[in-house]
Amino acid sequence: MASAARLSPTANLLRKSRLFALPQALTPVEAPTSRPYAESDTATRPHPIRASIVTPASSLARGDWGLKRPLPAKSTSQKSSRPVVRINELDTFEHVTDFESASDHTVTLEKFQELHMPISLPAKVHFSSNMVTRHHSVFDQDVDNTEASENIDQPDIKQIRHTGPWLSGLTDAEFAAYLKKVQKQKPQLVFKLRERFLEKRMAEIRNQAQDKGEDLENLPAPTEEDFQTYLKTLRADPFALGPVVYELLDLPATAPVPNERMPKKYYQSPPSKMASPEYVTSGPPITHPSAGLSYARSHASIYNHPQYGPQAHPRPVEARILRPRGRVRGKSGKPILGVGGIAVEDTSTIAFSEQGGPAGLSAFDPSIPGGARYHVTPIRAFVGSTGRISLITNRATTNAKAPYGIKDHKAAKSSPQRYTSFDLRASDRRVPRLDRARTFSKPATGFEQPEKSTEDVAKNLLRTIKSQ
């Protein structure tokens, strides 16, 4: 140890510096598409790309964040009681530190951890069925594997990452660059293919000799001519060459071939070894399927109420209605909820009504104090291939809300409007249609009101505007 080179003061300072221990920023992942893509510069990203930095209260009072220069209190301590920042640039050309608040992802992580939800493997959600997707933990030994795992060669083992890229997600330029890389590795690939051919051929010869009752010690070894014949056979049959290429290059399996392509020649993909079938169509995950959100493996936990004892369901979570049910692009849209900072589609198949269901779910209701909300029970959580968090929720039942005294806001019963005057009044903000005659409902007196012509409606509208 005495002969070990001593570190200089500068090297020792950098070695112990927390600033240099920060990981590098991740590259934002965007799915390649030929359609117009609009993105807001101020919108919260689906996953963080920079690390969040906090500082003790004693250092926060001085604006000391362990950086090159102190950060202003107006943008940190005076703006939030628990300030968290992320660094975009440590030192810019103007000699300032470019930073911004990191509370968006930090608070979302805290809200999600309060749900006490284990992360499941991605599964397809059937909106027309009441069947709940089966929970399969991402930490099980049969699915939590990479290309470097020890048990990767076992037949029933699934993996989450391959050494090769996902061909369906490559652009033309990326695919051309990958082909050049593969061409440089041709000698190594041919050598690996020869080894696998010899191993497979020897196994076939041994099985044939064993079936015939011959001696298994002096078996003839495959020759180079057999290997060249094998290569010619593969080149002439794309259906057989596909699985060999995928195995040599360790490529993730692609989506199934469409039916119209079945009669034609194509390169067959081998059976998928991905941990979830959703990874076949959307690509391998960019992070671990848990994304570090939760390390629980199952829902086997008891929610103990201090007065009523163990509960079958956890405490319901309040969900804000971000977009009510309506028609989106001519189709019936699903309501969008906000649960713990995560946008969730309402997958419940119960046909809510304004009288019996949550208020503001069918249409926007500005009369609800604080906005339209109701309580839900999260049942599944998983992280997609692009790092987005997905939640599956059900409407909280009466038994789940009763121990906590939770009641949803009920919609007020709307009574039919009656008109007491034929003229437009200043308090009436409705704009009548001028392309057809208006038809009024029967008033309380029981006689029918006469129809007004388009000219009369226009004159009354102009008279009301001038009077205001």
Side-chain angles (χ1 to χ4, degrees), residues 226-337:
D226 297 338
F227 178 67
Q228 296 299 329
T229 304
Y230 173 68
L231 288 180
K232 294 179 181 180
T233 305
L234 290 179
R235 293 192 181 105
D237 187 5
F239 193 84
L241 180 60
V244 177
V245 173
Y246 276 85
E247 185 179 2
L248 280 178
L249 302 179
D250 195 16
L251 300 175
T254 55
V257 178
N259 295 333
E260 58 270 11
R261 295 285 301 174
M262 295 294 290
K264 302 178 181 179
K265 290 185 178 181
Y266 63 93
Y267 292 92
Q268 172 68 16
S269 174
S272 175
K273 296 186 64 177
M274 299 302 296
S276 173
E278 295 298 314
Y279 294 149
V280 179
T281 56
S282 59
I286 60 175
T287 63
H288 189 271
S290 68
L293 296 175
S294 174
Y295 296 97
R297 300 190 61 174
S298 68
H299 294 266
S301 57
I302 297 178
Y303 305 93
N304 193 11
H305 192 273
Q307 182 177 359
Y308 300 101
Q311 302 294 314
H313 305 282
R315 181 185 177 90
V317 182
E318 191 176 48
R320 182 179 295 274
I321 302 177
L322 304 180
R323 189 188 72 185
R325 183 196 298 123
R327 300 193 67 83
V328 181
R329 297 179 180 178
K331 299 181 180 180
S332 180
K334 303 179 184 66
I336 302 297
L337 313 177

Side-chain angles (χ1 to χ4, degrees), residues 51-341:
S52 302
I53 303 177
V54 296
T55 185
S58 58
S59 301
L60 179 63
R62 303 190 304 270
D64 182 12
W65 290 77
L67 305 176
K68 185 176 181 180
R69 55 181 61 87
L71 301 183
K74 185 177 181 180
S75 303
T76 55
S77 59
Q78 296 180 4
K79 193 174 182 179
S80 174
S81 59
R82 294 191 306 164
V84 184
V85 300
R86 66 170 68 97
I87 304 301
N88 297 327
E89 292 290 341
L90 183 61
D91 194 5
T92 61
F93 180 78
E94 295 83 4
H95 300 289
V96 296
T97 301
D98 185 10
F99 71 97
E100 60 183 2
S101 175
S103 300
D104 47 3
H105 293 111
T106 305
V107 175
T108 301
L109 176 61
E110 294 179 356
K111 290 180 178 179
F112 182 83
Q113 292 178 347
E114 290 180 358
L115 301 178
H116 304 287
M117 292 288 298
I119 303 296
S120 308
L121 284 176
K124 189 174 183 59
V125 181
H126 299 280
F127 296 102
S128 60
S129 174
N130 290 328
M131 296 294 294
V132 180
T133 57
R134 176 177 174 269
H135 168 66
H136 195 171
S137 177
V138 296
F139 297 106
D140 291 347
Q141 295 182 358
D142 58 337
V143 296
D144 190 11
N145 299 284
T146 62
E147 70 280 359
S149 300
E150 297 180 356
N151 55 348
I152 195 61
D153 295 332
Q154 297 182 8
D156 297 335
I157 292 299
K158 302 293 184 178
Q159 59 189 101
I160 59 176
R161 188 173 293 110
H162 292 261
T163 55
W166 185 50
L167 299 182
S168 300
L170 297 180
T171 60
D172 293 342
E174 293 174 345
F175 183 70
Y178 180 69
L179 285 181
K180 293 181 180 179
K181 180 181 177 181
V182 172
Q183 290 174 358
K184 295 180 181 179
Q185 300 176 354
K186 182 178 179 180
Q188 294 85 348
L189 295 176
V190 173
F191 179 77
K192 187 185 297 184
L193 180 60
R194 181 182 286 104
E195 287 185 344
R196 297 188 179 185
F197 168 74
L198 295 177
E199 182 180 355
K200 181 180 179 181
R201 185 57 182 165
M202 285 299 300
E204 294 177 355
I205 295 175
R206 183 179 295 273
N207 291 336
Q208 294 176 1
Q210 188 174 5
D211 294 339
K212 295 179 181 179
E214 299 178 356
D215 187 11
L216 301 179
E217 295 183 357
N218 300 323
L219 297 177
T223 61
E224 184 65 22
E225 294 182 0
D226 297 338
F227 178 67
Q228 296 299 329
T229 304
Y230 173 68
L231 288 180
K232 294 179 181 180
T233 305
L234 290 179
R235 293 192 181 105
D237 187 5
F239 193 84
L241 180 60
V244 177
V245 173
Y246 276 85
E247 185 179 2
L248 280 178
L249 302 179
D250 195 16
L251 300 175
T254 55
V257 178
N259 295 333
E260 58 270 11
R261 295 285 301 174
M262 295 294 290
K264 302 178 181 179
K265 290 185 178 181
Y266 63 93
Y267 292 92
Q268 172 68 16
S269 174
S272 175
K273 296 186 64 177
M274 299 302 296
S276 173
E278 295 298 314
Y279 294 149
V280 179
T281 56
S282 59
I286 60 175
T287 63
H288 189 271
S290 68
L293 296 175
S294 174
Y295 296 97
R297 300 190 61 174
S298 68
H299 294 266
S301 57
I302 297 178
Y303 305 93
N304 193 11
H305 192 273
Q307 182 177 359
Y308 300 101
Q311 302 294 314
H313 305 282
R315 181 185 177 90
V317 182
E318 191 176 48
R320 182 179 295 274
I321 302 177
L322 304 180
R323 189 188 72 185
R325 183 196 298 123
R327 300 193 67 83
V328 181
R329 297 179 180 178
K331 299 181 180 180
S332 180
K334 303 179 184 66
I336 302 297
L337 313 177
V339 182

